[in-house]
Every structure is written in structure tokens, then in C-alpha cells.
Amino acid sequence: MGTQEHHGDEEAFAIRMTGVVKRYGSRQVLDEIDLAVARGEIFALLGANGAGKTTTVEILTTLLRPDGGSTQVAGWDVATHPDEVRRRIALTGQSAAVDDVLTGQENLVMVARLCGLSRRRARSRAAELLEQFALTDAGARRAGTYSGGMRRRLDLALSFVVRPEVLFLDEPTTGLDARSRRELWQVIRSLRDAGTTVLLTTQYLEEADELADRIAVLNGGRIVATGTPAELKARVGDESVEVRDADGSLRGRIPTDGSLSAVRAAIDELVTAGIDGTVVLRRPTLDEVFFTLTESPSPHDLHDRMPA
Ligand SMILES: Nc1ncnc2c1ncn2[C@@H]1O[C@H](COP(=O)(O)OP(=O)(O)OP(=O)(O)O)[C@@H](O)[C@H]1O
Ligand SMILES: [Mg+2]
């Protein structure tokens, strides 16, 4: 059995990319991307503008052909079995599927009919989806009147008329206010809890930290780090001893390895320096992790610079 054959349900990974390369002319926009996303997890691809997030999603969803490497999604090879992959995935983010003239309910019934459900079954599926995506109250209103957050939820609901094995979300919460973002996070979690694997892209560290089981940090077309939010934070160092004054502003900080003796030495040092206030032990935020990981050269970079 070659790699292009279906691996069946025993395959632990919903997504696997190995050595994927993409060039535009002489510009290499993806450089040997490796990704492994387990079934049933929320995986975040975190990166700044131009990092290669959309390019990666387009390759995974069969919209773009890579120049090298191999990609499997839902147990099928994207290059050799794109139709099998398409049948098992959904891609949302652009709200392109939403018809503004129709109500939310009508949008859902229409797509359900297109998917081959009977009129009766389409109506009951629409009602289920309106409920699941917190749109029951808005179901009878034209989609054109929806807020940004409601549109994203309707768009998601449309891709769940037939439940996908793997859901791709390219910057699903960009442009949403804090509250709509939280509502969408809740919906995405519920989809994961019901068994769908989710790969989303984001520029927001907070979003990756809150939502993702695992994160890959993409920078300049390369994965510079992969891990759980806690693992990524740990890579930048363990607890720092911080001293803050009454209004919470930072008076002093000393990084430690988290051991009792190091923490005690740090406190002694702060006391000797005459810094007083409330002591807290703090792990680095994902923001700090991101900047550390993307500013310092990756091992790959160092390797490239070694003399031949
Ligand atoms: N069709 C194309 N032709 C030439 N260059 C392209 C093309 N599509 C993307 N690129 C370049 O590839 C790089 C990665 O683009 P991509 O859209 O994947 O980034 P992104 O991480 O999704 O960014 P954003 O956060 O802005 O959406 C960018 O430098 C972009 O300019
Ligand atoms: Mg993009």
C-alpha cells in the first residue's frame, strides 16, 4: 500500500504535511513545512501577515498545488485523491457562502437541499443548526441584517449541514469584537468536542492560547516552534520573580528556573536592590514566546549558515 492509499480510521492524524514547499517565481513562501494534527484537536497556525498561513490552508484544502512535499488530510493524499479530501472537509472564513437576501433559516435549507436532503429533513437540519450555532432567534431574519459575528456563525453552520471530519478556519475572528470572538470560540470548542478536527489560523496569540490544544508558530514560511501553549511558554523560560507595586506596575523582574533556591536568591537580590512590593511568580505570556521564537534564528537558519 502506497502513501496515496486510504489509511482508514486507525490513522491517528487528521492532517499530515511533510516537507511541503511552495514557491512563487523565485520566492519561497513555504519552506519545508511539517505538520501533524491529531484527530479531534484544535490546532492553531499562528503567524504574522505574510507568514504563509493562507498558503498552507489552501494546500491542505486542495485549492493550491505545492511544489514539493506530501500532504494527507482525513486519511487521503491531497495530490492524488483531492475529491476524497474535499468530501471530508470544510473551509470557512470569507462568509462567501452566505446569501444576504435569504434568511438564516432559508440559507441553511437551501444548502441542505443542495446536499440532497429531503425538504422535510432539510428543515429539521436547519433548525438543529440554528440552535447549535446560537442563531435560533435570528433564523427568520435576512442574513444581510446580521452582525459580523452572526455572519461567521451562519457561515460555519452552512459548512456543517454535512458534518466535516476536518474544519479549516482562516482567521475566523479577524475583525470581530471581543464578545463575538468569545462566542465564536465557544462554537469552535463545541465542534471539536463533537468530534471534528479544527485547524485555524490566527494572528492573535491570545486566541491560540485560549482555544488551541496545540500551536505551530509560522514565521517567514517556516515552522519555528510547535507545542501546547504551556510547552511553548516553557521554552522561553520558567517562572520569573516579579515585584509589583500597589497599582500593579512592575518594579523588578528576575528570571529563574523555578526552583526554590533560585526563587529565594532572586527575592534576596530584589530586596538587596531596595525593591519592595508584592511578589508574584509569573510564566512568560505567549506574546513573549512569539517574539522570542520569531526574532531569534531557528535551528534551521543556523544550519543553513554553517559552512559546507
Ligand atoms: N499568488 C501569489 N503570488 C505571489 N506571491 C504570493 C501569492 N500568494 C501569496 N504570496 C506571498 O506569499 C507569502 C505568504 O502569503 P500568505 O497569504 O500565505 O500569508 P498569510 O500568513 O496568510 O498572511 P495574512 O495574515 O496577511 O493573511 C506572502 O509574502 C505573500 O505575498
Ligand atoms: Mg492569510
Side-chain angles (χ1 to χ4, degrees):
M1 246 190 10
T3 52
Q4 75 272 32
E5 296 301 319
H6 186 204
H7 290 275
D9 286 335
E10 71 278 8
E11 169 70 65
F13 294 107
I15 296 171
R16 233 182 194 315
M17 270 191 150
T18 315
V20 167
V21 171
K22 179 67 193 174
R23 281 181 285 270
Y24 285 111
S26 61
R27 270 203 71 197
Q28 183 136 338
V29 299
L30 293 183
D31 184 5
E32 303 271 337
I33 298 290
D34 295 328
L35 276 183
V37 178
R39 285 188 188 270
E41 73 177 343
I42 298 178
F43 191 92
L45 206 51
L46 175 65
N49 286 129
K53 302 182 296 296
T54 298
T55 305
T56 306
V57 168
E58 286 177 342
I59 291 170
L60 288 165
T61 54
T62 77
L63 300 174
L64 188 67
R65 267 186 174 278
D67 296 304
S70 74
T71 307
Q72 287 90 41
V73 173
W76 293 90
D77 190 283
V78 170
T80 58
H81 292 79
D83 293 339
E84 297 292 348
V85 171
R86 273 180 219 132
R87 203 168 302 161
R88 292 169 173 80
I89 66 171
L91 166 64
T92 48
Q94 316 86 336
S95 300
V98 174
D99 187 332
D100 281 343
V101 177
L102 302 179
T103 67
Q105 194 262 356
E106 288 165 346
N107 265 287
L108 288 163
V109 169
M110 183 184 71
V111 170
R113 294 287 285 154
L114 290 172
C115 289
L117 273 65
S118 70
R119 209 177 295 271
R120 205 185 122 107
R121 185 73 198 100
R123 272 203 302 272
S124 71
R125 184 72 184 129
E128 283 166 20
L129 289 162
L130 288 171
E131 173 78 34
Q132 187 182 359
F133 291 86
L135 288 168
T136 303
D137 293 344
R141 263 169 55 197
R142 281 183 173 200
T145 68
Y146 284 14
S147 70
M150 291 160 74
R151 275 185 85 80
R152 303 272 170 111
R153 295 208 300 280
L154 178 58
D155 195 37
L156 262 184
L158 290 169
S159 51
F160 271 76
V161 168
V162 177
R163 171 179 289 284
E165 281 181 43
V166 188
L167 173 65
F168 294 91
L169 300 166
D170 194 8
E171 301 202 29
T173 66
T174 296
L176 297 184
D177 62 28
R179 186 175 160 195
S180 305
R181 178 173 298 165
R182 295 210 157 265
E183 285 170 356
L184 198 60
W185 288 351
Q186 208 38 58
V187 167
I188 293 169
R189 283 191 197 101
S190 73
L191 300 176
R192 184 264 323 267
D193 294 345
T196 295
T197 305
V198 180
L199 181 137
L200 62 95
T201 73
T202 183
Q203 305 193 27
Y204 304 118
L205 298 148
E206 186 206 1
E207 179 158 284
D209 195 10
E210 273 273 336
L211 198 53
D213 299 304
R214 287 193 311 130
I215 298 170
V217 181
L218 191 59
N219 187 47
R222 286 179 178 174
I223 304 279
V224 294
T226 310
T228 63
E231 282 165 356
L232 293 186
K233 287 176 201 175
R235 280 185 56 165
V236 179
D238 278 323
E239 281 86 355
S240 293
V241 174
E242 290 185 358
V243 176
R244 291 181 179 271
D245 62 22
D247 32 278
S249 45
L250 185 66
R251 305 283 314 276
R253 173 194 294 155
I254 297 180
T256 75
D257 62 7
S259 68
L260 184 57
S261 57
V263 170
R264 189 161 66 190
I267 292 171
D268 287 344
E269 200 179 324
L270 288 160
V271 169
T272 307
I275 295 170
D276 201 6
T278 306
V279 174
V280 285
L281 277 181
R282 206 179 126 274
R283 296 208 131 203
T285 64
L286 256 185
D287 256 304
E288 291 160 338
V289 174
F290 185 75
F291 290 117
T292 306
L293 293 172
T294 55
E295 274 171 7
S296 57
S298 68
H300 198 14
D301 286 321
L302 291 174
H303 189 256
D304 281 353
R305 282 181 209 150
M306 300 242 282

